[in-house]
Amino acid sequence: MDFYWRRCDGPADPRARAAVQEAKRLLVVDDSPFVRMLLGPLLAQAGYEVEVAIDPEAALALHDAGAAFDLILADTSTAGAAARRMAVAFGRASAWHATPLLGLGVQTLAGPSPDALLSDVADVLSHDQEAA
């Protein structure tokens, strides 16, 4: 995380970096209890204010309640219906469109192909256009 903030905020001395770090609010969106229980406390202990959502709909509820974050960490390794739910939820979260999204996930050789992921994105976009 520190590497990410240095890239966004530029190099800073440790005191200035600590002050910036204290103000950062993070949203972790992941359906894995293990990931949520690992990242939430770990990032909080590192000085970040952390909110954890169990799924895209819970994240969207935070958006609708007016929550603002400096960075969103979300499981982006899913495909199919789960990927569509994530895309739809974050598409509706218009106040977060400028918020950086850092994808969490593991891609294996047996995972979805890039063509399958692009197909999912195209499918979501076509559904959004039909609804408009």
Side-chain angles (χ1 to χ4, degrees), residues 18-121:
V20 169
Q21 187 176 4
E22 287 179 24
K24 300 294 184 186
R25 292 197 59 199
L26 308 179
L27 172 62
V28 176
V29 184
D30 201 302
D31 63 352
S32 167
F34 174 77
V35 171
R36 292 191 313 265
M37 291 175 64
L38 175 71
L39 286 182
L42 181 68
L43 293 170
Q45 186 164 359
Y48 299 100
E49 185 178 335
V50 181
E51 188 78 37
V52 178
I54 62 170
D55 57 30
E57 292 78 14
L60 187 59
L62 291 169
H63 170 270
D64 293 345
F69 299 95
D70 298 296
L71 177 66
I72 299 170
L73 296 99
D75 179 7
T76 56
S77 65
T78 59
R84 287 186 193 96
R85 287 180 32 236
M86 179 72 78
V88 167
F90 281 93
R92 290 182 185 158
S94 59
W96 291 351
H97 286 180
T99 304
L101 173 67
L102 184 60
L104 303 174
V106 176
Q107 188 69 28
T108 64
L109 293 176
S113 71
D115 292 336
L117 295 175
L118 290 174
S119 173
D120 288 342
V121 170

